[in-house]
Amino acid sequence: MKKVIILILSLIYSITAYSQDILAGIWKYQNNSEVFIVNIWKVTDGYEGHYKKVIVDATGNQISVVYDSNKEIGDTGYNWPFTISTGSISQDYRVGGSIQDNTVTNSPYAGGFIEGLCRIKILNPNCYNPNGNTCALQAEWIVKRGPGLYNPAEPPYSVPTNIILTKQ
């Protein structure tokens, strides 16, 4: 009986430990006092997420929020459920999908947001360990406009378009 309980507990632990995900979690990029933060979570058919930019002091404490994609949709009383949406991660640790930059200013032609393509590629997957990463896991973050027509009066993205994120 004791062996059965130990076996069941070991099985539960291993399922929990290995259900963690290389991409899901909090990712950050810091440029002086500005910190761009991406929160990604796993869904059935890929990943979804939000982003924000904050200002921090010299010790890393948040002073203010520059923008946050997890905000109300117009005056509806409902927040955006997500602003990043991708497919599943590939064998070479890449995901691609869409991003809605709902933090841009002066975007009357886009209805208050600009759509784009988002690509995230894990640069050092050998650092990943479900029980605790062996080194700082990093990912390339690229955002660009999709194919097709767009209004040239639209503002540029407020989100960074080519940076290296570090998983927290």
Side-chain angles (χ1 to χ4, degrees):
M1 182 66 170
K2 198 178 210 182
K3 288 181 181 180
V4 172
I5 291 173
I6 291 171
L7 180 63
I8 290 172
L9 289 175
S10 297
L11 182 61
I12 290 171
Y13 173 77
S14 64
I15 289 171
T16 303
Y18 288 99
S19 66
Q20 294 179 358
D21 189 277
I22 193 169
L23 187 60
I26 305 293
W27 295 81
K28 291 183 180 181
Y29 167 77
Q30 185 162 354
N31 184 11
N32 298 319
S33 63
E34 294 183 343
V35 181
F36 180 68
I37 303 167
V38 179
N39 182 7
I40 299 174
W41 58 89
K42 181 84 174 111
V43 294
T44 303
D45 56 349
Y47 297 89
E48 293 176 349
H50 274 292
Y51 58 85
K52 67 181 175 179
K53 183 189 280 188
V54 299
I55 303 295
V56 297
D57 64 17
T59 58
N61 296 314
Q62 182 177 316
I63 298 172
S64 63
V65 176
V66 177
Y67 56 72
D68 189 341
S69 70
N70 188 4
K71 65 179 189 174
E72 187 176 1
I73 304 169
D75 294 327
T76 63
Y78 298 98
N79 279 21
W80 288 72
F82 56 87
T83 50
I84 301 167
S85 178
T86 74
S88 296
I89 196 163
S90 68
Q91 288 183 336
D92 61 349
Y93 301 98
R94 297 174 191 249
V95 294
S98 64
I99 185 169
Q100 288 77 41
D101 186 348
N102 66 359
T103 62
V104 294
T105 56
N106 304 320
S107 62
Y109 305 109
F113 67 95
I114 299 174
E115 287 194 85
L117 302 176
C118 180
R119 186 183 81 211
I120 304 169
K121 178 187 177 193
I122 305 295
L123 297 175
N124 54 349
N126 55 322
C127 287
Y128 178 68
N129 181 333
N131 298 318
N133 293 338
T134 58
C135 51
L137 196 59
Q138 294 188 312
E140 179 181 52
W141 162 274
I142 295 180
V143 173
K144 62 182 182 177
R145 293 201 188 270
L149 299 174
Y150 64 93
N151 189 320
E154 288 179 3
Y157 292 110
S158 63
V159 299
T161 57
N162 189 356
I163 57 173
I164 303 298
L165 297 167
T166 302
K167 192 167 187 182
Q168 303 304 296

